[in-house]
Amino acid sequence: MLLLRLIYESFSFAATSLAANKLRTILSLLGITIGIFAIISVFTVIDSLEGYIRDSLNSMGNNMVYVQKMPWTPPEGETEYPFWKYQSRPVPTLEETEEIVRRAQTVDNAAFLYGFGRKVQYGSTSLDNAIIMASSEGLLDVWNLEIAKGRYFTQSEMRRGTPAAVIGHEIANQLFDGLDPVGRTIKIQGQKFNIIGVYTKMGQNVIGGNSMDRYIHVSVIKSYYMIDVRNRDRGQTICIKAKENIDSEKFMAELEGIMRTIRQLKPMEENDFALNEVSIVANQFDQFFAVFNLAGAIIGGFSILVGGFGIANIMFVSVKERTKIIGVQKSLGAKRYFILLQFIFESIVLSVIGGVIGLILIYIGTIVVNQSTDFTIVLTSGNIINGLMISSIIGFMAGFMPARAAAKLDPVIAINSV
């Protein structure tokens, strides 16, 4: 009952303070509002960006390895990326992909792929530098792709280099504007391709991932007649999917051994290929987000500190204005802790009001961003709780000294004060 009474009286005094000194209160609460807005908005954007990136990484597959010419990160122990060291390496090939699938015991499936830009036409509509994705037949399984309309390539179509294509959702909208693309013919570099399917819309992700929305997918055999890739770096990649419940180290060791055997490397020779895992990139992003969160906390912390001084100022003025009331309360038997808690609760209430305003502004901001861009920002319940907790802590810290000064007042002196 005492706690409820304290909370009720604190709300009453806080409301009276707000009503009686609107301008002073608004200016003081502005610091808390800006501080909560700064720190929680940073956390909200970082959390949303982190979720966005992790979704992109997950779409690349946790059980996937990408055999490429260059590693995604510098070698362990080195701070600089030795680009010159990797430039002369041979690129992965379709033949190597087939050998890996034939020899490996831990591999479920693999696909060879690369991309290049070409002008694409359908009637009078054209797309300049559209991305052509050339791959072997295993891509549908390796990337867990889904077909929305039509079908995927048959094995014979892939191996014979049939002029057929499966297009992404965005390409379908841009070229056909609502028409059903399946069965229609497009021109790529003057060559006719029959559209046999459309991929299910996946949405664009921040690091590319495995979204096919902006790609025109053709057989790698057919692409050899469109572009020279035998000795040129076009981003050739072998995507390898591990079998279920296969140990990651065993999987990597087998792939490394097979690739070294295929390329006839001697025991003491370095690998002339890179085995890139998604976990490598995930670890790099973990470090990035840790630093960014720290920077956001420091910047927001200074804003919160300024807001705390504003709340402390309100509370010192409030103690001064209510000195006589404090004297009457103490003369009627009010204990020190009662006066102390009364002002501390009032300070917390004022601080939380500023925090709530900041959270409301952030929520409005997320709505504006979500409606005006493709990027989705979510104000999570965790960040809302963090905002209220930070406000409460700042309110307690800002109100403690004024509350302590009020609790120590002599009732006789307080009653007789001017």
Side-chain angles (χ1 to χ4, degrees), residues 283-295:
N283 292 336
Q284 294 292 321
F285 277 116
D286 285 342
Q287 298 174 17
F288 166 77
F289 286 123
V291 172
F292 214 70
N293 274 318
L294 178 61

Side-chain angles (χ1 to χ4, degrees), residues 306-317:
V306 173
F309 283 121
I311 296 294
N313 176 61
I314 286 182
M315 296 313 300
F316 274 117
V317 173

Side-chain angles (χ1 to χ4, degrees), residues 17-298:
S17 177
L18 283 170
N21 306 283
K22 295 183 180 66
L23 182 60
R24 184 187 71 193
T25 304
I26 290 171
L27 291 175
S28 299
L29 292 182
L30 190 61
I32 287 290
T33 299
I34 293 173
I36 292 297
F37 179 83
I39 195 168
I40 300 301
S41 60
V42 169
F43 289 161
T44 297
V45 171
I46 291 298
D47 287 349
S48 299
L49 182 60
E50 184 174 3
Y52 200 46
I53 289 175
R54 293 200 184 283
D55 287 344
S56 300
L57 292 174
N58 289 336
S59 73
M60 296 176 71
N62 292 324
N63 60 341
M64 291 276 295
V65 169
Y66 293 79
V67 181
Q68 294 172 309
K69 179 178 178 177
M70 300 185 183
W72 290 342
T73 58
E76 189 175 351
E78 296 186 26
T79 56
E80 295 184 0
Y81 189 89
F83 182 82
W84 55 270
K85 183 179 179 180
Y86 308 126
Q87 188 62 34
S88 59
R89 284 181 171 183
V91 296
T93 65
L94 176 62
E95 291 73 23
E96 289 174 338
T97 307
E98 293 171 345
E99 279 297 303
I100 289 172
V101 173
R102 187 176 65 84
R103 298 186 187 190
Q105 301 297 314
T106 60
V107 171
D108 181 40
N109 208 340
F112 175 68
L113 63 88
Y114 57 88
F116 55 96
R118 286 293 183 269
K119 183 176 181 179
V120 179
Q121 290 180 295
Y122 173 72
S124 60
T125 305
S126 65
L127 297 176
D128 293 326
N129 206 33
I131 303 174
I132 312 301
M133 169 72 77
S135 88
S136 58
E137 61 196 71
L139 191 64
L140 185 74
D141 175 54
V142 172
W143 277 5
N144 297 317
L145 301 174
E146 295 180 359
I147 302 294
K149 296 179 181 179
R151 61 176 178 82
Y152 189 64
F153 302 94
T154 63
Q155 188 178 71
S156 62
E157 285 174 335
M158 274 288 188
R159 295 186 175 182
R160 288 189 289 112
T162 301
V166 181
I167 62 176
H169 179 270
E170 193 169 326
I171 295 293
N173 287 340
Q174 292 174 346
L175 281 179
F176 298 100
D177 194 23
L179 298 174
D180 185 358
V182 178
R184 300 181 188 273
T185 302
I186 61 174
K187 286 186 177 181
I188 304 175
Q189 197 177 327
Q191 300 183 44
K192 293 182 179 181
F193 283 77
N194 181 44
I195 304 299
I196 60 173
V198 179
Y199 284 111
T200 300
K201 181 180 179 180
M202 299 178 67
Q204 286 299 307
N205 46 49
V206 73
I207 59 170
N210 298 343
S211 175
M212 297 294 288
D213 290 355
R214 297 183 179 180
Y215 294 153
I216 298 173
H217 188 190
V218 302
S219 162
V220 70
I221 301 297
K222 179 63 179 176
S223 72
Y224 288 159
Y225 297 95
M226 304 168 65
I227 188 170
D228 179 16
V229 295
R230 288 295 178 179
N231 296 306
R232 295 188 181 183
D233 188 357
R234 302 287 183 181
Q236 291 93 323
T237 300
I238 303 174
C239 305
I240 306 172
K241 181 180 178 182
K243 290 181 179 178
E244 292 292 332
N245 302 319
I246 289 294
D247 181 70
S248 176
E249 291 184 4
K250 180 181 178 181
F251 178 48
M252 292 289 288
E254 184 184 42
L255 289 182
E256 183 177 11
I258 291 173
M259 283 299 297
R260 289 183 64 86
T261 301
I262 292 172
R263 295 194 173 179
Q264 299 179 343
L265 297 176
K266 296 178 181 178
M268 299 304 293
E269 283 187 283
E270 287 188 6
N271 291 341
D272 60 354
F273 55 89
L275 300 178
N276 292 316
E277 294 181 277
V278 174
S279 60
I280 296 174
V281 180
N283 292 336
Q284 294 292 321
F285 277 116
D286 285 342
Q287 298 174 17
F288 166 77
F289 286 123
V291 172
F292 214 70
N293 274 318
L294 178 61
I298 292 172

